[in-house]
Every structure is written in structure tokens, then in C-alpha cells.
Amino acid sequence: MTIGGAKRSHGALSVLIVDSDPSFLSRTCKLIAEDGYQVWGAEDLLAAANFLADQTPDLLLVEMALLEADGADPLGDLRERASGAPIVLMASGPPNDGFRTYCETHEIFGYCDKAHGCEPLRLWVSAALLAARHSELIRQARVGLRHVLEAVPELRTIQPLDEVLAAILDQVGGLLACLAASERT
């Protein structure tokens, strides 16, 4: 199930919702799409894994009951396929010991009690995507800083003026490319 956001106020941010209840999945996909995000739905872990083979969403919302039904480490597989995406686990009722275990082993961003309705879910989505966006901006800033630091030794050596200017132009071009990449995300 793929649902595109009606408005694009959040850019190209995307969410994969994995839930075995088709009714909940459909309602939640529509709700998140109304907030302007690109949304995909999967009714089981196999469908989610197949989806993640081709695309990487910015956030994963995963029903805990699906994880507990499998004896292996299904969350580890999802985490590996979408390594940079925050994961919010969902279930009805307060978090159980399984949630604590997942938090210890898989860097879980949060837990949403489905019984509380749509507003807490919207808040979790917003917070997780904001965190993901900031993490990406930090990563891009580090790339830009690394580019500058690598250029410093080259610019400090005694060289003919035309070589210095060419090196400066190369560095400025690299910084502009990093800036352009950060504005696209």
C-alpha cells in the first residue's frame, strides 16, 4: 500500500508503517499522508523487508506483535535494511519487557500506545522525523568540515598564485556541492 501526502510541507520525508491490522494500517497511512509525508504500508515483516530492499524510508513504525511472533531477530533485519531510520514501536497498552529488550538492542526511538488514538502517533512521527532530519544535517555538516580540513594542508604550502586560486575554487566548489546536497534533504 502506497499513499502520497496531499501537501508537501515536509519535503520528501517518508514513513513505512508495518502493522498486521489492515484497517489500522489504512487509517494510519491516510492520517500520516494528510500531514504531508510520503507513506507506505506493509501488513507483515516479509512485505516490509521486500519494500526495504528497494527503498529506505526516513521512519519505521512497527507493530510489536509482529516482532514477537518470530523467534529470530526480525527487528535486527529491519534495522539493517534501514540503518539510519528511527524506529517507533506500536502496541495497545503500556510497553512490556519485550519493548525494553528491543530498546537495549536496537536503538528504538519511541513507543506509541495505539489505544491512545491518532494524536500521540502524529507526535511520535513528527518528533522522529525531526530527529532524523537533524541527524542528516549533522552528517552533511561533518562531510563539509572534513572537506575543509583536508584542504587546509594543500592551501598552506607555497605555490604559484594560479595554483592557489585553483585550489580555492576547488574547495569552494566542494563546499557548494555539500550545501546543495543538504538543501535537497
Side-chain angles (χ1 to χ4, degrees):
M1 166 185 306
T2 302
I3 298 176
K7 53 187 176 183
R8 288 284 171 222
S9 60
H10 301 290
L13 295 176
S14 59
V15 179
L16 173 61
I17 303 171
V18 187
D19 197 285
S20 61
D21 178 353
S23 175
F24 176 83
L25 185 61
S26 177
R27 281 191 326 270
T28 306
C29 283
K30 288 177 184 167
L31 176 76
I32 302 304
E34 286 173 4
D35 288 342
Y37 302 110
Q38 180 70 38
V39 182
W40 298 279
E43 291 185 14
D44 58 44
L45 295 172
L46 180 59
N50 288 337
F51 174 82
L52 292 172
D54 296 326
Q55 298 198 43
T56 303
D58 298 299
L59 169 63
L60 299 173
L61 296 175
V62 181
E63 177 187 24
M64 279 192 59
L66 288 171
L67 302 174
E68 294 163 354
D70 191 335
D73 185 15
L75 194 54
D77 182 50
L78 295 181
R79 166 62 71 211
E80 186 178 309
R81 292 171 186 258
S83 61
I87 297 175
V88 174
L89 296 179
M90 305 178 296
S92 293
N96 60 22
D97 290 336
F99 173 72
R100 289 181 223 4
T101 301
Y102 290 127
C103 284
E104 292 170 3
T105 57
H106 294 294
E107 299 178 24
I108 301 303
F109 186 82
Y111 175 85
C112 184
D113 184 344
K114 294 184 337 182
H116 289 164
C118 63
E119 285 312 308
L121 181 63
R122 282 179 140 155
L123 290 173
W124 275 114
V125 167
S126 178
L129 288 172
L130 182 63
R133 172 88 170 116
H134 286 184
S135 293
E136 178 60 19
L137 290 173
I138 289 168
R139 187 196 66 75
Q140 290 173 358
R142 284 183 178 162
V143 168
L145 288 173
R146 189 174 303 117
H147 189 76
V148 169
L149 290 173
E150 290 170 357
V152 169
E154 180 182 337
L155 296 176
R156 288 183 42 182
T157 60
I158 298 175
Q159 303 173 37
L161 184 57
D162 59 336
E163 290 179 22
V164 170
L165 292 175
I168 290 172
L169 287 174
D170 285 344
Q171 299 308 317
V172 169
L175 288 173
L176 290 175
C178 287
L179 265 173
S182 70
E183 288 179 5
R184 284 192 297 268
T185 59

